[in-house]
Amino acid sequence: MKVQTEESAVQEAIDKTGFGKFNLKIAAIGAAIYTNAVISISSIGFVLPAAACDFQMTTIDKGRIAIASVLGSLFGPFVWGILADLKGRRIALITTLFIQGNCEILMSIISNYWGFLFLKLLSGFAVIGETTLLFTYVGEFQPKIHQKKILSWISFVMVAAQIIVPLLAWLIIPLDFEYRREYFLFRSWSLFVLVCALPAEILVIWLIFSPETPKYLAETGQHFQLVNVLINMYEKNNGGTSEDYIRKLGTCESRGMGDLVNFYNSNMSLYKGDEKTFKKKELRTMLNDFKVQGKNVMKDPYLKRLLILSISMFCFSSSFYSLLMWFPEIFQRFSQFQALYPNETSSVCSISKNLLPQNNTQNLIYKCPKEVDVSVYKNSLLQGFSAIIPNLLLPLFVDKLGFRFFAVTLLSIAFASTIGLLFANTYLQNVVLSCTFNAVMSACASVMYSFLVVLFPTNVRIFASTISVFCSRLGTIFGNVTFTYLIDNYCTILISSVAVQLLVATILSLTLRKK
């Protein structure tokens, strides 16, 4: 029997398992992982203003922390992509969650700026694995007719994360307590970091008791386990028996499925021998398989798709993830500006230039208020609630309109709202525009990652994901670096560069289609 089972045959077998409780359980796991990743990414935005005094941070110092997580994630896609091919999507996800959770627990008890920075770098290395693999993990369980909708619903939980984080921050960070020793500091922001780390530890346990994806098992020749997973899916979704499903498989048009049924019905010793061969081959061909995927991607039509998607993800990530981490800091500056100049108009650029002109000088210690203004939490909550509408429309209409339509529409709105920031001169206008930007870009995030599932087959998907997400991380680093060094004195150039990148992503998204 062939080592691999054709993807089309496996997809047909998945379709015959139906859709029900099992699919919803897997979708819930994916949604929880995505929520955890967003909490990890966005929570640092509240830590920066809250910990500014304890770490005596300037804008440059804050920028280093924001960049550290992204720098850690730069080479993560390569590592996690190889591990996902070597050990499977599930094991790779468990590893990423374990590293992220434990690094962030340590971050909550460390009192040294550089130690905090290093742990955030490791956390970012792990989080990128979660966001890279979760859509593949969830998508490879779904019947084809439901795949787009399920992947789109996962994006809706990003809204939940954007609401949960400011609520937790509002609940915990204003608490007035402190435990300090010579080499140890634990304040309210430390507790906030600790609480945000707990979901990762819970998800590790959940995934331990979850299965590997059918498509990965088929791709690596683990046929007996493949049929067991498919039977489990069928039983959970339909309440039928294994015999019922094996009979269904026998009706598949694909010859590969008929061979698979015969393999399953053979004796157990055959299965054990196949498993030993699989393990030896796995260790021997780990890097070679990844190289083969790379060669396959370099052929039409995958090369063109990969180039377009990689550039689009660079521009998208540079614009979105940098602002996502800096929005709380911007709102904190707005509150300080209004307190000092209550009758003056304010824009993103005016507050940055007039309020904190010294921040570009690393030798000057940032003179900061010890409390984060309540408006920071309120505005962040508004951003979270504003994201409900686009993230609700996406799963409801994605089957009819497609991912490409949503990518172009959402990026166009984000481009318009970014241009608006250059002309907004009141606090309310800036809040409305920031909410609009965050709402459409949060929905667009899952669209960009979902493209990886719908544009590339299993035999090249991990390599394509690795390259495109690597470009995404480069974009995020570029965005955070430019934000850190331009926000105080060159704000107009900064906002203009974000607008140009969004325009490029919009135009390129028009060409993303599966033919």
Side-chain angles (χ1 to χ4, degrees), residues 350-370:
S350 67
I351 60 168
S352 298
K353 186 175 181 180
N354 298 327
L355 184 62
L356 299 169
Q358 77 275 25
N359 275 355
N360 275 337
T361 305
Q362 296 186 36
N363 293 328
L364 292 175
I365 296 176
Y366 173 49
K367 297 178 181 179
C368 57
K370 285 210 169 186

Side-chain angles (χ1 to χ4, degrees), residues 159-311:
V159 180
Q162 289 181 312
I163 294 173
I164 290 170
V165 171
L167 280 176
L168 283 175
W170 198 352
L171 180 68
I172 297 173
I173 292 178
L175 296 176
D176 187 17
F177 70 88
E178 179 179 308
Y179 184 81
R180 185 186 294 269
R181 290 292 182 268
E182 186 177 357
Y183 299 106
F184 181 80
L185 171 68
F186 195 86
R187 295 187 64 234
S188 58
W189 64 263
S190 307
L191 178 61
F192 173 67
V193 173
L194 177 63
V195 171
C196 289
L198 295 180
E201 305 291 350
I202 297 171
L203 284 167
V204 168
I205 299 172
W206 194 357
L207 273 171
I208 287 173
F209 298 99
S210 300
E212 184 53 78
T213 72
K215 290 187 178 180
Y216 173 78
L217 295 174
E219 183 69 21
T220 52
Q222 301 180 71
H223 302 103
F224 197 88
Q225 292 183 35
L226 166 62
V227 180
N228 278 331
V229 171
L230 291 170
I231 288 173
N232 186 31
M233 293 172 65
Y234 180 81
E235 290 175 344
K236 294 288 177 60
N237 288 338
N238 303 281
T241 63
S242 59
E243 290 78 12
D244 294 335
Y245 182 66
I246 293 297
R247 283 194 295 270
K248 267 200 167 189
L249 281 187
T251 66
C252 288
E253 298 178 2
S254 170
R255 181 180 176 183
M257 279 296 99
D259 293 340
L260 189 60
V261 172
N262 293 333
F263 178 85
Y264 179 80
N265 289 328
S266 61
N267 58 59
M268 287 294 293
S269 61
L270 180 61
Y271 157 66
K272 292 176 181 177
D274 178 79
E275 183 67 12
K276 290 177 183 178
T277 302
F278 162 73
K279 289 180 179 177
K280 290 179 181 178
K281 181 181 178 182
E282 205 178 29
L283 292 173
R284 194 169 57 244
T285 62
M286 174 184 64
L287 295 177
N288 184 59
D289 287 345
F290 201 67
K291 182 180 177 181
V292 170
Q293 283 202 28
K295 289 181 178 179
N296 291 334
V297 166
M298 296 305 156
K299 302 174 183 176
D300 287 333
Y302 307 127
L303 179 58
K304 180 181 178 181
R305 294 178 190 173
L306 182 59
L307 287 173
I308 294 172
L309 185 60
S310 296
I311 297 172

